[in-house]
Amino acid sequence: MNAIISASELASELTGENPPVLLDVRWQLTLAKAAGEPPFDGRTAYEAGHIPGAVYIDLDRELAGAPGARGRHPLPDLAEFGAAMRRAGVSSGVPVVVYDGGQGWGAARAWWLLRWTGHPDVRVLDGGLPVWEGPLETSVPTPAEGDFEPAPGATGLLDADGAAALARSGVLLDARAGERYRGEVEPIDPVGGHIPGALSAPTNENVGPDGRFLPAEELGARFKALGASEGTEVGVYCGSGVSAAHEVLALAVAGIPAALYVGSWSEWSSDPSRPVAVGPDPQ
């Protein structure tokens, strides 16, 4: 099953016999608080206009736990996550389409969580809301309660020790910007650099200027050049497990399964006992 869906395909499915549940996960990584500015408000953006029938999902509150030693966006309590999905109308037998404001990170986090917890049919709107040419609405829907019950998978998730081991035995990709990987700047976390052995693979290189994913063949070639291909054990991390979910999605488009280190650099760098590499060399 394809992990992404085009706007025209979504418009067709919404008028079909089994329309998908729509989730709006508008979210942005912001440093506004440090600059004294108000942070991005996804709910306000949603209420100003969303695809008809879409339900807003708050990434920070419903797709992540409280920030702390496990990172800035650790796994949510799965009972609370399941309840949030059911309130949004998510059921195991109904397809789900997730979108955000175009960056794709928030939508990918929801996609990854739903897939990892057992939902069989979840796709991301490729390009997000900016590619949608249909009408928008401002009314907030009240969907019928869904029946989705999270059942975490046995694979697809890495912890810090697993990420460290994978950097030696397989391929561990760092989805952050190259300057953060190299440790030249670190605007958020306490230490700059990367997990020793990880390879730099910035998420923004997986998409074109319009925010849509590159063709599967191009993505496959990119990841193959990094040593990641079908049959290789692959993992991804970023700052806090959000943009890395987008890279896991890009890998899925290319046909390459990959695991996510949810704690990512925000967890790794908070533990002074863990080694840190700097510069362009993975080691």
Side-chain angles (χ1 to χ4, degrees):
M1 184 191 69
N2 201 345
I4 57 177
I5 184 172
S6 70
S8 59
E9 289 170 332
L10 175 58
S12 177
E13 290 193 14
L14 287 173
T15 60
E17 295 182 357
N18 189 28
V21 171
L22 275 178
L23 304 181
D24 183 312
V25 193
R26 272 179 268 186
W27 176 89
Q28 290 181 13
L29 176 65
T30 177
L31 303 178
K33 185 181 292 187
E37 301 172 3
F40 173 78
D41 187 339
R43 182 173 292 278
T44 296
Y46 164 82
E47 291 174 349
H50 50 268
I51 298 176
V55 176
Y56 177 70
I57 298 296
D58 189 314
L59 186 149
D60 291 316
R61 294 179 175 84
E62 296 173 315
L63 304 181
R70 295 183 301 136
R72 282 183 279 110
H73 290 104
L75 284 175
D77 177 273
L78 291 183
E80 294 178 5
F81 168 68
M85 293 300 100
R86 291 190 294 274
R87 285 194 302 272
V90 175
S91 291
S92 57
V94 179
V96 176
V97 171
V98 193
Y99 72 89
D100 58 21
Q103 187 180 44
W105 296 6
R109 174 72 176 220
W111 168 84
W112 180 83
L113 264 173
L114 281 164
R115 293 291 293 144
W116 178 66
T117 54
H119 198 289
D121 189 349
V122 190
R123 288 163 293 170
V124 169
L125 175 58
D126 191 18
L129 190 61
V131 306
W132 177 253
E133 296 181 350
L136 299 178
E137 69 177 13
T138 57
S139 60
V140 176
T142 53
E145 184 88 0
D147 64 13
F148 179 68
E149 293 287 349
T155 60
L157 176 68
L158 293 171
D159 60 11
D161 290 340
L166 185 58
R168 305 297 181 189
S169 65
V171 174
L172 182 65
L173 301 177
D174 185 318
R176 298 172 300 161
E179 58 268 25
R180 292 184 68 192
Y181 169 88
R182 296 186 296 271
E184 295 166 1
V185 298
E186 182 43 65
I188 306 172
D189 295 311
V191 178
H194 58 270
I195 297 174
L199 302 173
S200 179
T203 294
N204 61 5
E205 295 180 16
N206 295 323
V207 298
D210 62 357
R212 301 184 203 192
F213 282 106
L214 300 176
E217 296 78 10
E218 290 185 32
L219 289 172
R222 181 196 183 205
F223 293 126
K224 185 177 181 180
L226 291 164
S229 58
E230 191 173 0
T232 304
E233 191 175 0
V234 180
V236 190
Y237 75 94
C238 58
S240 65
V242 179
S243 68
H246 191 266
E247 187 132 298
V248 172
L249 176 57
L251 284 153
V253 171
I256 303 170
L260 176 67
Y261 173 24
V262 175
S264 283
W265 189 248
S266 58
E267 178 186 42
W268 184 278
S269 63
S270 69
D271 182 349
S273 72
R274 295 204 175 273
V276 171
V278 296
D281 190 320
Q283 307 302 330

